[in-house]
Structures are given as structure tokens and as C-alpha cells.
Amino acid sequence: MIQRAIAFILLIWMLGFAWFAVLLPQPAPIAQTDAVVVLTGGANRIDRGLEILKSGKSQKMLISGVDRDVKPRELAAQYPGSAKYFKCCIALGFQSVDTRSNALETAAWAKRNKVTSLRLVTHDLHMRRARFELDRALPNNIAVTNDAVSTHASLSVLFKEYNKYWLRAVASLLGL
């Protein structure tokens, strides 16, 4: 009986991984939102956020999880044609160090800026966990659009992210 229970749990876990790996979130069409939130930690995320700002579909952007040593001018210099956005429209969040604190930092920023809709930009493999944390931190009246940046991640990277997602879900059930 114990072997069957373990086999069943293992089967569910493996099917979940298949779902996670095959049906990764996709980029969202560019549409109007109050703000864009970009979680640092990977290539092309800030580029996508800037693309949204330049389209005029959002007026503000938070880059959450910026290293404390980064200066706004230095970051702007890495993205040609973006200096004016860094002056008017982009806030750098230096407080977060992980996905959970990204969500808390985003929620505080959204409240200060009276945001009612935002676009979450992160990698496709990270989107589910980031959205899980963001949904826990944000009030229910803020609409969130998932905008995933494609990664073409290896199976081992997907495996690690899948396990992080479920570990965080279990931890939240335990009140952690």
C-alpha cells in the first residue's frame, strides 16, 4: 500500500513536471497597463520592459532586484535610446534578493504609485513561481498580465525551477 502511494505521488509529480516543461508561459501581446514590472536575473527582461515603455502602452516601470552597486546612469548606458525613460519613468528596486522579496517590493511600489494593472516580465521558466509570489503579495484589485521572455532552458534548469515552485507552494501552505 505504501509503495502504491509513493508511486502515485511520483507519477503526479512527473506529470506535473511534463506540464511545467511543455507548457511554459508565453510572451503577451503588447496592451495597455498602468505599469511594467521587470524582475532582474536574466537576459532580455529589461529589453522587453523597455519595449513596452517605448510602445506607450505603459507609463511606469519598476526593475526589481537591482544590485545595490548599480547606478541608474550605468544601467541606462547598457540600453541605447533608453536614457530618457530612466529619467522619467523607471524606478530601480534595490531591496529584493529573491522572488519572494521581488513580490513584496513590487506590491509596495504598486501601492505607492496607485497601480491598478501591471505587466509582469520575467523568464518563461520563472513566471509561475514569480506570479505565485506576486499573487500572494498584491491586493486582489490589481490586474496582472504575465509577459514571459523565452529562455530555451535546459531540462536540468527546468527541473530545478519546477522543484523550487513546488517547494515554495508547500512552504506557503505551512505558513512559511
Side-chain angles (χ1 to χ4, degrees):
M1 185 70 169
I2 293 173
Q3 286 179 332
R4 287 184 188 155
I6 292 171
F8 180 73
I9 291 169
L10 186 59
L11 177 65
I12 296 298
W13 179 84
M14 289 183 337
L15 290 173
F17 177 67
W19 160 79
F20 184 88
V22 172
L23 299 175
L24 288 172
Q26 299 296 307
I30 296 177
Q32 191 71 40
T33 57
D34 292 343
V36 178
V37 174
V38 176
L39 307 184
T40 60
N44 302 320
R45 295 178 188 189
I46 295 173
D47 296 296
R48 179 62 174 168
L50 287 168
E51 179 184 351
I52 304 301
L53 279 183
K54 290 176 182 178
S55 76
K57 296 295 185 180
S58 291
Q59 305 306 312
K60 302 173 196 164
M61 184 165 89
L62 169 67
I63 303 174
S64 178
V66 177
D67 188 283
R68 295 183 202 293
D69 295 332
V70 171
K71 305 290 184 261
R73 279 192 314 270
E74 294 169 356
L75 189 57
Q78 293 182 16
Y79 300 93
S82 67
K84 71 177 185 177
Y85 296 103
F86 277 88
K87 289 178 184 173
C88 74
C89 314
I90 298 175
L92 301 182
F94 297 99
Q95 302 304 311
S96 61
V97 294
D98 59 15
T99 305
R100 187 175 183 187
S101 57
N102 282 140
L104 296 172
E105 183 173 62
T106 298
W109 179 83
K111 183 178 180 180
R112 280 192 312 274
N113 287 277
K114 297 177 177 46
V115 170
T116 60
S117 62
L118 64 84
R119 173 182 298 264
L120 175 62
V121 177
T122 190
H123 281 154
D124 50 7
L125 62 107
H126 184 241
M127 182 60 74
R128 288 187 180 104
R129 188 163 54 97
R131 181 62 190 264
F132 176 81
E133 295 291 359
L134 195 58
D135 286 345
R136 290 173 42 89
L138 284 176
N140 292 334
N141 64 337
I142 298 179
V144 179
T145 300
N146 294 348
D147 195 354
V149 175
S150 296
T151 58
H152 308 291
S154 68
L155 198 57
S156 66
V157 170
L158 286 169
F159 182 75
K160 287 176 190 174
E161 186 60 34
Y162 176 70
N163 286 311
K164 285 181 184 181
Y165 173 76
W166 282 112
L167 286 171
R168 186 62 197 119
V170 169
S172 73
L173 287 173
L174 298 174
L176 303 173

